[in-house]
Amino acid sequence: AATTYLVLRVAPLDDDLIVLLADDQTTARRVEETRRDFIANTSHELKTPIGAIGLLAEAVEDAAEDPQAVRRFAARMGIESARLADLVSQIIELSRLQSDNPLTRPEVVEVDEVLAEAVDRSRVDADRNNVSLAIAGTPGCRVLGSARQLAVAVGNLVENAVVYSDSGARVTVAAHVDSRADDDYVEITVSDNGIGIPSAEHARIFERFYRVDYARSRANGGTGLGLSIVSHIAAAHGGEVSVWSQPGRGSTFTLRLPAQLGAGAATSGGPDSA
Ligand code: ADP
């Protein structure tokens, strides 16, 4: 009622304008609610590592006579502070992506370079977890956008594939151009044969701070922001991210982005002219 009153005072004679303004106010309220939720969730998430560091500092003081215990607590403090740093940098990444113009200077991006960088970042984790990591061909795919952001997006998907798999699993990253629709799209897929995700959770995993398995996510340094960042980066590039997954069989995440067809770009099944 308060909204209507305000709007009526602004434009009492024009029905269309009244509806438009009322709509704007609803949107503004939703944006405000989202912003408030984000701040509440963020403070909650930040409190966990900050609280842990505080307790560990007390534990170090109490254990001053026991060098082994001090070393153990100090190592734990290092882990928690790294976690805090990750959380803060992901929050900054996300708020940058939520700004009006996340892609300031789009460039032509070679998808094979993006995939190589994303895979390199997870190589150490993959070796440690005994997970094999392979790139299965990227025939001259190009998109318009930010190479840095795309490497972050694919990197997050690869990291998840490695983390949510058991020893001996296989992660495959691939890209191809899909020319079936009116416009051409590059599809980047990241597949694993890991633990999978129940279908009831598929829609929610892209929400900020949402985790299916909190314990495993936290144990692996997860923040619950990775997929939300991926979906914002996809949207900033005029694309989307989707998931196929079954518990016990694994997951495939697909990043679908408008293709940049220029000299040398090959379409699906076409010659690799890169
Ligand atoms: P996190 O930092 O917890 O990994 P994400 O936003 O990246 O947060 O992912 C959200 C949740 O989706 C994860 O906590 C995990 O439960 C689930 N998830 C994401 N990727 C995979 C995957 N490849 N296999 C199984 N579960 C996954």
Side-chain angles (χ1 to χ4, degrees):
T3 305
T4 315
Y5 174 69
L6 189 68
V7 169
L8 283 173
R9 276 185 43 201
V10 172
L13 298 175
D14 186 333
D15 278 359
D16 285 350
L17 190 58
I18 290 170
V19 173
L20 198 75
L21 289 173
D23 251 17
D24 267 4
Q25 299 230 337
T26 319
T27 312
R29 201 162 43 221
R30 215 171 289 140
V31 168
E32 177 56 24
E33 272 167 23
T34 311
R35 200 182 63 89
R36 221 177 297 139
D37 277 1
F38 183 49
I39 292 172
N41 285 335
T42 303
S43 334
H44 176 79
E45 294 289 334
L46 289 173
K47 274 183 192 156
T48 312
I50 291 172
I53 291 169
L55 289 174
L56 286 161
E58 282 174 26
V60 167
E61 260 181 43
D62 292 346
E65 309 296 309
D66 179 352
Q68 252 187 349
V70 169
R71 233 174 280 131
R72 215 171 47 242
F73 293 141
R76 198 65 236 163
M77 274 168 106
I79 292 172
E80 292 296 340
S81 88
R83 182 180 168 70
L84 195 56
D86 262 5
L87 201 53
V88 169
S89 67
Q90 289 206 307
I91 289 166
I92 290 170
E93 181 85 53
L94 202 52
S95 46
R96 202 185 302 156
L97 286 164
Q98 284 167 340
S99 74
D100 288 341
N101 188 11
L103 268 186
T104 37
R105 254 183 273 143
E107 60 198 353
V108 175
V109 179
E110 301 287 341
V111 171
D112 57 352
E113 288 171 15
V114 167
L115 301 199
E117 189 181 333
V119 162
D120 274 353
R121 285 189 200 171
S122 285
R123 189 68 73 189
V124 173
D125 278 347
D127 287 349
R128 193 173 45 225
N129 295 359
N130 188 30
V131 170
S132 78
L133 204 49
I135 298 181
T138 59
C141 295
R142 291 185 180 87
V143 297
L144 197 62
S146 154
R148 189 195 71 83
Q149 283 184 16
L150 291 171
V152 167
V154 180
N156 286 357
L157 295 177
V158 173
E159 197 180 300
N160 280 348
V162 168
V163 160
Y164 299 106
S165 293
D166 295 316
S167 175
R170 203 175 36 238
V171 173
T172 310
V173 185
H176 70 276
V177 177
D178 175 6
S179 319
R180 287 168 303 174
D182 286 346
D183 297 311
D184 289 333
Y185 285 86
V186 170
E187 287 194 341
I188 301 170
T189 54
V190 178
S191 309
D192 65 68
N193 55 350
I195 62 173
I197 306 162
S199 54
E201 307 277 4
H202 289 186
R204 300 212 61 192
I205 52 174
F206 297 99
E207 290 173 18
R208 289 177 303 215
F209 296 117
Y210 190 81
R211 288 104 149 185
V212 179
D213 181 350
Y214 185 87
R216 183 156 183 165
S217 164
R218 203 181 136 65
N220 288 296
T223 59
L225 290 176
L227 288 179
S228 171
I229 289 173
V230 175
S231 102
H232 276 89
I233 292 174
H237 285 78
E240 58 187 21
V241 58
S242 58
V243 60
W244 172 94
S245 186
Q246 270 179 12
R249 288 192 55 192
S251 311
T252 295
F253 284 85
T254 303
L255 204 50
R256 186 172 161 85
L257 309 167
Q260 170 73 17
L261 292 178
T267 51
S268 199
D272 182 358
S273 47

